[in-house]
Amino acid sequence: MKVKAIFFDIDNTLYDSKAFAAQARRNSINAMREAGLKATEKEAYSALMKVIGKRTSNYDYHFNDMLKLLGAKPTPRMIAAGIGAYHNTKASILPFPEVTSVVLSLRDSGYKIYIASEGESLKQWDKLIRLGLDMLFHDVFVTEEVGKKKSKDFYKTILKKLGLAAGEAVMVGDSEQKDILPAQEAGMHTVLVSHNGKKKGKADYEVSDLTGLSAVMKRLG
Amino acid sequence: MKVKAIFFDIDNTLYDSKAFAAQARRNSINAMREAGLKATEKEAYSALMKVIGKRTSNYDYHFNDMLKLLGAKPTPRMIAAGIGAYHNTKASILPFPEVTSVVLSLRDSGYKIYIASEGESLKQWDKLIRLGLDMLFHDVFVTEEVGKKKSKDFYKTILKKLGLAAGEAVMVGDSEQKDILPAQEAGMHTVLVSHNGKKKGKADYEVSDLTGLSAVMKRLG
């Protein structure tokens, strides 16, 4: 069966989401220190990670809770400094350097190119726009709008919507749990992207960055 | 009585808030048009101004309502494009060119320099930080935290907090209604800044930009 469509995860597949998050936290902490927070970067980072561990990353009062943990009062000045620095960092995110040319080249070869992402629609679109990638994909599927977390069901739903057989589709992502295993259950081909080079073993193919995809597509015919 | 303290309004006094708002709206509209909105810039701008007229500027769904008015569906993609462009525009605001040097020079002359601003504390601090002015003021008073709109009472409350007599303080702003008249009722000196050069008549002094302040301060002794 001829492959017609390729689905991409966003975080840690199209850009370095882990490095961004660490940098954004450091910048926010240092902006709050400039605004008067009496704590070392290390103390504040450790307090912030405690708050994130407890509240997960979808929570509106990370900085308030962090400041309280450090015995500081969460003033509007301090909070505005932290949030501003976070947004400034977000404004400067870039895709992994190979992404744009690989996606354009796959389009040129006739493949339909889609996003299959887990999260809130508005946040995931915001990332695509800031990465300068929003115009490159034929369509974008985010779990919030599809109404299902990344699961066999999620992948089956979007394949059905596009009128594709599972064997006509490839899923590309960094997470075995979210991108590889449920896509395999749905019957799709799978490619694990592992920018740190660690092999994981479950995907049909493993690449260390998206330049490896063209070889994979040749083998898939 | 010797003047000891100078209070500044923010919007249209320290930066061109009107020009920023118009630019941010245009950029947002054009980002939404790039994301697929079928409307001219003019049609969309006019719909947006209708929504702002109805909902005021403190409302979270301007773009949703604007899209509905234009007969378009408010998709996450479109909304994210609009909000992203708005924030990008906000990230690049600058003070009027004279502001930083005038404030530093007044500090050098021994005056205490404060902000007296109407609005939400977090938003006003965000502006000061983005303008690069947040470190320049001895303290910042925003109506939300003081608990009163700009009124005789607001000015009296902050003067009391600082242990200042009204005659020891000057209020500088662009609005007769919010900056000049209530500060006069509280007994303060007043300076109207009118960047468009239109005289208004109620303030003790009128200047066309903040460079005019040093002459005013000399006359006040």
Side-chain angles (χ1 to χ4, degrees):
Chain A
M1 199 178 278
K2 199 175 173 304
V3 171
K4 295 182 181 170
I6 310 172
F7 293 83
F8 289 90
D9 169 55
I10 298 177
D11 295 315
N12 293 312
T13 297
L14 301 185
Y15 83 107
D16 194 339
S17 156
K18 272 182 201 158
F20 158 69
Q23 188 60 38
R25 286 169 197 147
R26 267 193 302 271
N27 289 350
S28 295
I29 283 166
N30 286 318
M32 290 187 273
R33 292 174 68 217
E34 192 190 8
L37 172 61
K38 305 287 178 230
T40 63
E41 182 183 312
K42 208 175 158 188
E43 287 163 352
Y45 201 99
S46 145
L48 183 55
M49 293 314 290
K50 259 184 215 159
V51 175
I52 294 170
K54 192 173 161 195
R55 298 287 191 172
T56 81
S57 52
N58 278 322
Y59 174 61
D60 281 343
Y61 301 97
H62 285 144
F63 295 149
N64 297 60
D65 286 12
M66 179 198 84
L67 291 170
K68 283 180 202 157
L69 261 188
L70 293 166
K73 198 180 158 211
T75 61
R77 173 187 200 165
M78 205 87 85
I79 300 295
I83 293 175
Y86 185 89
H87 286 291
N88 285 350
T89 314
K90 204 172 71 174
S92 65
I93 56 173
L94 288 171
F96 286 120
E98 72 278 8
V99 170
T100 305
S101 61
V102 166
V103 169
L104 286 172
S105 149
L106 291 168
R107 279 181 76 122
D108 288 347
S109 304
Y111 295 107
K112 292 284 186 180
I113 310 292
Y114 301 104
I115 291 287
S117 168
E118 183 159 295
E120 297 174 20
S121 306
L122 208 55
K123 281 193 185 178
Q124 299 310 84
W125 269 110
D126 181 49
K127 284 177 202 172
L128 288 175
I129 291 166
R130 292 184 183 282
L131 290 166
L133 298 174
D134 55 306
M135 307 298 289
L136 295 192
F137 293 86
H138 291 101
D139 208 343
V140 171
F141 300 93
V142 181
T143 54
E144 185 191 27
E145 274 182 289
V146 177
K148 301 172 162 63
K149 291 246 162 195
K150 270 186 172 173
S151 58
K152 179 182 170 184
D153 237 27
F154 168 75
Y155 292 104
K156 283 197 158 241
T157 303
I158 60 182
L159 289 170
K160 194 175 169 191
K161 196 162 175 185
L162 294 167
L164 287 167
E168 293 174 322
V170 181
M171 177 64 201
V172 181
D174 71 302
S175 162
E176 287 196 331
Q177 216 50 47
K178 295 181 173 181
D179 302 315
I180 305 305
L181 297 173
Q184 281 177 335
E185 283 179 59
M188 297 165 78
H189 304 283
T190 55
V191 181
L192 186 94
V193 196
S194 179
H195 281 91
N196 59 20
K198 280 186 201 149
K199 296 278 178 195
K200 296 199 176 171
K202 307 278 190 196
D204 305 335
Y205 301 90
E206 300 205 0
V207 296
S208 58
D209 66 50
L210 295 190
T211 52
L213 260 189
S214 59
V216 170
M217 296 316 294
K218 263 177 211 150
R219 289 183 59 186
L220 283 170
Chain B
M1 198 177 279
K2 199 176 173 307
V3 170
K4 295 182 180 168
I6 309 172
F7 293 82
F8 289 91
D9 169 55
I10 298 177
D11 295 315
N12 294 312
T13 298
L14 301 184
Y15 83 107
D16 194 339
S17 158
K18 272 182 201 157
F20 156 70
Q23 188 60 39
R25 284 168 198 149
R26 268 193 302 272
N27 289 349
S28 295
I29 283 166
N30 286 318
M32 289 187 273
R33 292 174 68 217
E34 193 191 7
L37 173 61
K38 303 289 176 229
T40 64
E41 182 183 311
K42 210 176 156 186
E43 287 163 353
Y45 201 97
S46 146
L48 183 55
M49 293 314 290
K50 259 185 216 158
V51 175
I52 293 170
K54 191 172 161 197
R55 298 289 191 169
T56 81
S57 52
N58 277 322
Y59 174 62
D60 282 343
Y61 300 97
H62 285 145
F63 295 148
N64 297 61
D65 287 12
M66 180 198 85
L67 292 170
K68 282 180 204 158
L69 261 189
L70 293 165
K73 198 182 158 208
T75 61
R77 173 185 199 166
M78 206 87 85
I79 300 295
I83 294 176
Y86 185 89
H87 285 291
N88 285 349
T89 314
K90 205 174 68 173
S92 66
I93 56 173
L94 287 171
F96 286 121
E98 72 279 7
V99 170
T100 306
S101 61
V102 166
V103 170
L104 287 172
S105 148
L106 291 169
R107 279 181 75 122
D108 287 349
S109 304
Y111 297 107
K112 292 284 186 181
I113 310 292
Y114 302 105
I115 291 287
S117 168
E118 183 159 293
E120 297 173 20
S121 306
L122 208 54
K123 282 192 183 175
Q124 299 311 84
W125 270 109
D126 182 47
K127 285 177 200 170
L128 289 175
I129 292 167
R130 290 184 185 283
L131 290 166
L133 298 174
D134 55 306
M135 307 299 287
L136 295 192
F137 293 86
H138 291 102
D139 209 343
V140 171
F141 300 94
V142 182
T143 54
E144 185 190 29
E145 273 182 290
V146 176
K148 299 170 164 60
K149 292 246 163 196
K150 270 186 173 175
S151 59
K152 178 181 171 184
D153 236 28
F154 168 75
Y155 293 104
K156 284 199 157 239
T157 303
I158 60 182
L159 289 169
K160 194 174 169 194
K161 195 163 176 184
L162 295 167
L164 287 166
E168 294 174 323
V170 182
M171 177 64 201
V172 182
D174 71 303
S175 162
E176 287 196 331
Q177 217 49 47
K178 293 181 173 182
D179 302 316
I180 305 305
L181 297 174
Q184 280 178 336
E185 283 180 57
M188 298 165 77
H189 305 283
T190 55
V191 182
L192 186 93
V193 196
S194 178
H195 281 90
N196 60 19
K198 281 187 201 145
K199 295 278 175 194
K200 298 200 176 169
K202 306 279 190 195
D204 304 334
Y205 302 91
E206 299 205 0
V207 296
S208 59
D209 65 50
L210 295 190
T211 51
L213 260 189
S214 59
V216 171
M217 297 314 296
K218 263 177 210 148
R219 291 182 56 187
L220 283 170

